[in-house]
């Protein structure tokens, strides 16, 4: 069953819905026949094959039904009057609000239109004019509002080893994103009424507000809001960095561990209470009552915490395990594990595309497989505590050892202090912080005690995170190496003689020693990352790496450096030698701080003015025409700016660092945001401009890509880094026409994703949106004359 759904998830495009329906029905009929009539020797393989077909058909059938309710492309970017209900807790940041909205009705120019049932909206305090600084009101779940919105299809960044935002939206049931129009020409948003809809979300909203009112420190209140109400967005970015570095991030949200621990405690309480009544015990065994009560109360806890996908999976898994325990037979652990896995995949096949699914189930399977035979616990209390401590230490060691290869595959980083951090944090969070946080719902002063407990834990974790080599990064290994590493870790942790356990060591070597492939000497490769509206280009030679620009800031809490470039560079095993910031605009420097923190030895070259905040992180060498160097037989030449500094009052675009990279056979020109005046100066200057690849100046703005400049460069292809449906209209239609007229294919990041180019094949570009295509990814139409 798992295999069938996994194969269906690999489809780049959905097949027609009748094919899935036919496959599902045929598999169901065959299963019924095989269960009774098939010969014993091939019954099991046949049943497994039919189960795989059944799960693939059901997953495809559901996907087709879901996709049919998506946003009509003709409605993108239109002003639509919408009425509906706020369906979840809004998330407030410095830009405004983000919230989920259940659509009830929609009208475009007076006629009714169909929208997806649930959309993700932003209210940014105004889009233009005098209302631009107005802060949005405090929205509450269950409120019915009427307003004008602009929507677009779910569209995220597509990069190698990057977060799949479009899959996340798909799993959340959000089929469009957009924002509320609040300009002077737009109808004012109107709160129509308060309703009783979404009562759990209303309760969560009240609890979150009460926590922030009770706890003075916003950072501590944010952690408590995450643990009690499931509001992960309330945790500060700096705290997330500490939690990731110490390997305890899984504890700081309502995860499977919290739900499982809650179920265990609830089952113990219900079972103990049940045993106090002889009549109840005669009606139903106390053990079964405890299991049922634990699962039901855990489901209620998961529902209150936001009913996130990980919590849903855990509740389903606990339900399956409880049903099997209630049966008349003793099920072997592999059957319990596989049936729980199959139930989760049947309910949510897209879970298999998420890292959390594999980490959870592999961890549980490893613990099952490596557990020693059950022994009677000691009678003395201190011996029982010592026994429990040893068990916790062993389980944490086993999980750390077995999951390290898988973690390197998924995140390319492991915490070397994670074992110690989890030994402290798991009991502290599950037995102290979380119970105090939940009890605070009925006794709010207990939130202060919970906040103190969080503060104590935070001090320990910050000390661990500050240790040298607290984390270790490695290039992303291939799947086979990670699988071999998991098996090797399991063998080392098995309760077996050391001679047998040491056989796991060779299996760990591929994942630990893996090196990402690089170009040979004399060749180079270019990766134009998909960062939305901004520039970020990675240039790799045989042994060196250069980063040209770092993409935009994405708000106060994150940026393209943290979200895209750091994972991308880590997965490639890149140690950046030089960071070039073409000019000071935030769509080119927004991610620089995150990258520079990750790359402490990188040389910074830029046109930044003296006193720029980034100089506090790293001293900068000013770029100037005539600078040149050579790495591994590849030549780097700075062509612009000619002056020593940007004149007072001058446009930053005019000072862009223009870099030409080549090996004598193939060349790339990275042009920043230069405009027509700088293009004319370069076209008439002595430096050669000819290049196979051109990074389109200023994202395709009408102020750049002049005819004379294009004729001087004569690129074979061009890369445009611009956001999908960006507010500037980049690339401008007249600019794209200029390229098309000259037969220059344009590869735009909004439609191509990350673009990969290699000097060994200078006429080809590989688009991540094509290479990594899945049917939930957005299909964007333009190809700019056979580009993307």
């Amino acid at each position: 069953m798992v295999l069938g759904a996994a194969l269906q998830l690999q489809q780049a495009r959905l097949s027609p819905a009748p094919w899935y329906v036919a496959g599902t029905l045929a598999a169901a009929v065959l299963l019924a026949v095989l269960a009774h009539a098939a010969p014993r020797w091939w019954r099991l393989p046949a049943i497994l094959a039919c189960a795989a077909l059944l799960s693939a058909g059901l997953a495809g059938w559901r996907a087709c039904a879901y996709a049919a309710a998506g946003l009509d492309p003709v409605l993108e970017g239109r002003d639509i009057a919408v009425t509906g209900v706020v369906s979840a807790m809004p998330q407030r940041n410095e830009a405004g609000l983000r919230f989920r909205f259940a659509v009830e009705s929609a009208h475009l120019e007076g006629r009714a239109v169909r929208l997806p049932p649930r959309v993700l909206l932003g209210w940014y305090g105004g889009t233009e004019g005098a209302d631009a600084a107005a802060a949005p009101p405090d929205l509450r779940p269950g409120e019915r509002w009427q307003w004008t919105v602009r929507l677009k299809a779910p569209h995220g960044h597509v990069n190698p080893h990057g977060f799949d935002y479009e899959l996340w939206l798909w799993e959340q049931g959000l089929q469009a994103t957009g924002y509320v129009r609040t300009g002077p020409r737009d109808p004012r948003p109107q709160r129509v009424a308060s309703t009783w809809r979404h009562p759990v979300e209303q309760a969560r909203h009240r609890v979150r507000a009460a926590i922030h009112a009770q706890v003075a420190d916003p950072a501590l209140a944010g952690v408590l809001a995450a643990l009690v109400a499931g509001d992960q967005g309330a945790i500060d970015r700096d705290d997330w960095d500490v939690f990731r570095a110490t390997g305890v991030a899984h504890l700081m949200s309502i995860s499977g561990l919290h739900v499982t621990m809650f179920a265990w405690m609830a089952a113990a309480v219900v079972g103990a209470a049940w045993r106090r009544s002889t009549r109840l015990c005669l009606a139903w065994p106390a053990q079964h009552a405890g299991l049922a009560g634990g699962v039901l109360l855990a489901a209620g806890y998961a529902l209150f915490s936001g009913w996130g996908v990980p919590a849903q999976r855990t509740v389903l898994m606990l339900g399956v395990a409880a049903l099997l325990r209630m049966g008349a037979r003793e099920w072997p652990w592999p059957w319990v594990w596989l049936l729980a896995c199959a139930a989760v995949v049947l309910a949510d096949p897209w879970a298999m595309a998420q890292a959390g699914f594999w980490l959870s189930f592999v961890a549980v399977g490893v613990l099952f497989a490596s557990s020693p035979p059950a022994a009677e616990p000691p009678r003395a209390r201190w011996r029982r505590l010592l026994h429990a401590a040893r068990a916790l230490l062993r389980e944490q060691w086993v999980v750390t050892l077995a999951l390290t290869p898988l973690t390197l595959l998924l995140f390319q980083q492991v915490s070397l202090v994670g074992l110690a951090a989890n030994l402290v944090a798991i009991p502290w969070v599950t037995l102290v912080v979380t119970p105090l946080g939940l009890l605070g719902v009925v006794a709010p002063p207990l939130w202060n005690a919970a906040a103190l407990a969080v503060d104590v834990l935070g001090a320990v974790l910050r000390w661990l995170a500050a240790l040298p080599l607290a984390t270790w990064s490695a290039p992303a290994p291939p799947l086979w190496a990670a699988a071999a590493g998991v098996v090797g870790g399991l063998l080392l942790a098995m309760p077996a003689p050391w001679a047998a356990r040491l056989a796991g060591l060779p299996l760990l070597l591929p994942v630990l020693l893996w090196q990402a492939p690089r170009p040979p000497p004399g060749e180079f490769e270019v990766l134009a990352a998909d960062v939305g509206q901004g520039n970020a280009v990675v240039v790799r030679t045989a042994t060196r790496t250069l980063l040209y620009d770092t993409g935009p800031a994405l708000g106060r809490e994150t940026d393209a450096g943290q979200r895209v470039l750091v994972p991308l560079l880590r997965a490639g095993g890149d140690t950046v030698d030089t960071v070039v910031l073409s000019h000071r605009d935030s769509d080119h420097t927004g991610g620089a701080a995150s990258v520079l923190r990750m790359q402490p030895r990188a040389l910074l070259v830029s046109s930044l003015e003296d006193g720029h905040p980034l100089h506090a992180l790293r001293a900068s060498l000013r770029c100037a025409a005539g600078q040149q160097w050579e790495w591994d037989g590849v030549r780097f030449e700075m062509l612009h700016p000619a002056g020593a500094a940007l004149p007072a009052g001058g446009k930053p675009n005019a000072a862009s660092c223009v870099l030409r990279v080549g090996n004598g056979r193939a060349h790339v020109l990275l042009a920043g945001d230069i405009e027509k005046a700088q293009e004319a100066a370069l076209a008439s200057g002595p430096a050669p401009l000819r290049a196979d690849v051109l990074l389109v100046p200023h994202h395709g703005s009408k102020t750049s890509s002049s005819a004379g400049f294009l004729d001087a460069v004569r690129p074979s292809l061009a890369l445009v880094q611009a956001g999908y449906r960006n507010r500037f209209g980049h690339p401008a239609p007249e600019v794209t026409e200029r390229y098309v007229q000259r037969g220059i294919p344009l590869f735009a990041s909004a439609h191509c994703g990350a673009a990969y180019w290699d000097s060994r094949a200078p006429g080809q570009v590989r688009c991540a949106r094509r290479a990594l295509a899945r049917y939930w990814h957005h299909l964007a139409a333009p190809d700019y004359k056979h580009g993307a």
Side-chain angles (χ1 to χ4, degrees):
M1 183 167 288
V2 174
L3 178 61
L7 291 175
Q8 194 276 330
L9 294 185
Q10 303 307 307
Q11 287 190 282
R13 300 288 175 263
L14 286 171
S15 304
W19 292 14
Y20 296 116
V21 176
T24 301
L25 296 178
V29 172
L30 286 173
L31 276 175
V33 172
L34 291 169
H36 297 89
R40 296 179 62 88
W41 63 272
W42 63 274
R43 179 183 297 175
L44 181 59
I47 288 177
L48 291 177
C50 288
L53 178 61
L54 178 66
S55 64
L58 285 174
W61 190 354
R62 290 173 58 187
C64 286
Y66 178 80
L71 180 68
D72 188 336
V74 302
L75 299 178
E76 286 192 284
R78 306 291 298 277
D79 288 350
I80 304 173
V82 177
T83 301
V85 175
V86 179
S87 60
M89 285 195 306
Q91 303 289 327
R92 185 179 290 275
N93 56 35
E94 78 283 357
L97 289 174
R98 295 284 284 174
F99 57 95
R100 303 182 187 197
F101 191 67
V103 176
E104 296 178 329
S105 64
H107 293 81
L108 174 63
E109 298 176 351
R111 61 181 177 86
V113 294
R114 182 190 63 81
L115 293 182
R118 292 202 302 165
V119 299
L120 181 64
L121 294 179
W123 187 340
Y124 300 117
T127 56
E128 55 184 302
D131 288 343
D138 184 20
L139 298 184
R140 299 175 183 273
E143 290 182 338
R144 179 173 286 112
W145 281 80
Q146 185 177 55
W147 40 40
T148 300
V149 301
R150 280 190 183 174
L151 300 175
K152 63 180 180 180
H155 191 97
H157 306 149
V158 179
N159 294 284
H161 307 285
F163 175 68
D164 194 338
Y165 179 63
E166 293 170 41
L167 173 62
W168 181 84
L169 290 172
W170 177 284
E171 273 214 304
Q172 300 297 317
L174 301 169
Q175 293 179 280
T177 63
Y179 62 94
V180 177
R181 298 280 294 170
T182 56
R185 300 179 183 178
D186 300 307
R188 296 186 65 84
Q190 295 184 0
R191 180 177 172 275
V192 178
S194 293
T195 73
W196 288 99
R197 294 178 60 182
H198 309 290
V200 174
E201 290 296 321
Q202 293 186 40
R204 294 177 65 217
H205 183 83
R206 288 193 293 270
V207 168
R208 182 181 66 176
I211 289 173
H212 282 277
Q214 181 71 33
V215 179
D217 189 326
L220 299 177
V223 175
L224 283 180
L227 290 172
V228 177
D231 182 16
Q232 296 184 44
I235 299 179
D236 286 347
R237 172 177 170 176
D238 290 342
D239 288 335
W240 274 126
D241 291 341
V242 171
F243 298 152
R244 292 189 186 101
T246 53
V248 302
H250 63 103
L251 292 173
M252 300 305 164
S253 59
I254 307 300
S255 64
L257 177 63
H258 293 89
V259 177
T260 302
M261 291 295 294
F262 187 91
W264 174 74
M265 290 187 289
V269 172
V270 171
W274 199 270
R275 289 184 181 91
R276 298 180 67 86
S277 171
T278 304
R279 180 176 298 179
L280 290 176
C281 288
L282 290 174
W284 203 22
Q287 184 183 19
H288 292 180
L291 287 172
V295 172
L296 289 175
L297 290 173
Y301 174 49
L303 184 65
F304 180 77
S305 68
W307 200 237
V309 174
Q312 295 176 35
R313 292 198 295 260
T314 304
V315 170
L316 185 57
M317 181 184 68
L318 291 172
V320 171
L323 286 174
L324 294 178
R325 286 285 301 273
M326 291 179 189
R329 59 179 296 182
E330 186 74 20
W331 289 83
W333 74 260
W335 283 100
V336 176
W337 183 67
L338 290 172
L339 287 172
C341 182
V344 169
V345 170
L346 189 63
D348 180 17
W350 302 282
M352 287 192 294
Q354 301 282 4
F357 171 86
W358 296 104
L359 291 172
S360 298
F361 275 100
V362 170
V364 172
V366 165
L367 287 175
F368 270 134
S370 62
S371 295
E376 185 178 351
R379 293 186 179 182
R381 178 173 297 179
W382 70 272
R383 288 185 178 274
R384 287 201 302 268
L385 291 175
L386 182 60
H387 179 77
R390 286 176 176 171
L392 176 63
L393 176 61
R394 183 187 177 282
E395 290 175 359
Q396 192 58 45
W397 161 250
V398 168
V399 168
T400 301
L401 189 62
L403 291 190
T404 292
L406 189 58
T407 304
L408 287 175
L409 174 67
L410 297 171
F411 304 114
Q412 298 83 55
Q413 184 182 50
V414 293
S415 173
L416 299 182
V417 298
L419 177 61
N422 276 280
L423 285 174
V424 174
I426 287 177
W428 190 254
V429 172
T430 55
L431 300 179
V432 178
V433 177
T434 302
L436 285 173
L438 293 175
L439 290 172
V441 175
V442 293
L446 290 177
W447 281 328
N448 292 320
L452 178 61
V454 170
D455 198 22
V456 171
L457 177 63
V460 175
L461 295 178
R462 285 190 291 273
W463 177 76
L464 288 172
L467 292 175
L469 299 177
T471 60
W472 179 59
S473 299
L479 180 59
W480 66 265
V486 172
V487 175
L490 177 59
L491 287 175
L492 285 171
M494 290 287 285
W498 272 106
R501 295 163 70 175
L502 290 176
L505 283 178
L507 296 176
L508 288 172
L509 294 181
V511 71
L512 297 178
L513 301 179
W514 177 259
Q515 294 296 316
R518 298 186 72 92
E523 304 292 348
F524 67 105
E525 61 187 25
V526 171
L527 180 67
D530 185 3
V531 294
Q533 185 66 25
N535 280 156
V537 179
V538 180
V539 181
R540 295 187 180 104
T541 68
T543 63
R544 313 293 285 271
T545 300
L546 177 141
L547 177 63
Y548 182 87
D549 283 338
T550 58
L554 303 174
R556 183 172 59 89
E557 293 298 325
T558 188
D559 53 64
Q562 181 198 43
R563 187 173 291 181
V564 176
L565 297 176
V566 168
L568 183 65
L569 294 168
R570 185 182 294 140
D574 288 295
T575 299
V576 177
D577 298 278
T578 300
V579 175
V580 176
L581 299 178
S582 62
H583 61 297
R584 72 182 182 210
D585 284 357
S586 63
D587 57 335
H588 297 253
T589 63
S594 296
V595 172
L596 292 173
R597 290 190 190 100
M598 178 214 178
Q599 303 285 347
R601 298 181 181 178
L603 171 68
L604 179 60
V605 178
S606 73
S607 62
L608 301 177
E609 70 279 8
D610 295 337
H612 192 281
L614 283 174
H615 286 149
L617 285 176
R618 192 75 45 86
S620 172
L621 173 67
R622 188 174 298 279
C623 65
Q627 294 170 342
Q628 50 187 287
W629 65 95
E630 186 173 308
W631 290 343
D632 305 316
V634 178
R635 192 170 187 80
F636 295 76
E637 304 170 89
M638 199 69 70
L639 306 184
H640 186 79
L646 179 68
K651 293 181 65 175
N653 293 352
S656 290
C657 306
V658 177
L659 182 65
R660 186 173 184 256
V661 185
N663 60 4
R665 301 180 307 277
H667 297 83
V668 172
L669 186 64
L670 306 176
D673 276 2
I674 59 172
E675 299 183 352
K676 292 178 180 178
Q678 294 79 48
E679 291 178 349
L682 285 170
S684 60
L689 290 183
R690 172 74 181 94
D692 299 89
V693 179
L694 171 65
L695 179 65
V696 173
H698 202 180
H699 319 287
S701 166
K702 63 180 66 176
T703 63
S704 306
S705 294
S706 57
F709 180 71
L710 294 184
D711 291 338
V713 178
R714 291 179 289 119
S716 301
L717 55 93
L719 307 177
V720 183
Q721 291 188 299
Y724 177 68
R725 299 192 65 86
N726 63 84
R727 62 191 179 96
F728 307 103
H730 296 160
E734 56 265 45
V735 171
T736 60
E737 182 60 27
R738 215 171 289 151
Y739 284 88
V740 170
Q741 286 176 354
R742 287 164 173 77
I744 305 170
L746 275 176
F747 293 85
S749 58
H751 313 297
C752 174
Y756 173 83
W757 177 90
D758 194 312
S759 63
R760 291 165 288 181
Q764 301 176 14
V765 169
R766 187 168 74 243
C767 290
R769 194 168 279 275
R770 293 176 183 170
L772 306 175
R774 296 294 183 268
Y775 57 79
W776 54 79
H777 287 160
H778 178 223
L779 280 176
D783 75 346
Y784 302 123
K785 200 66 174 179
H786 312 306

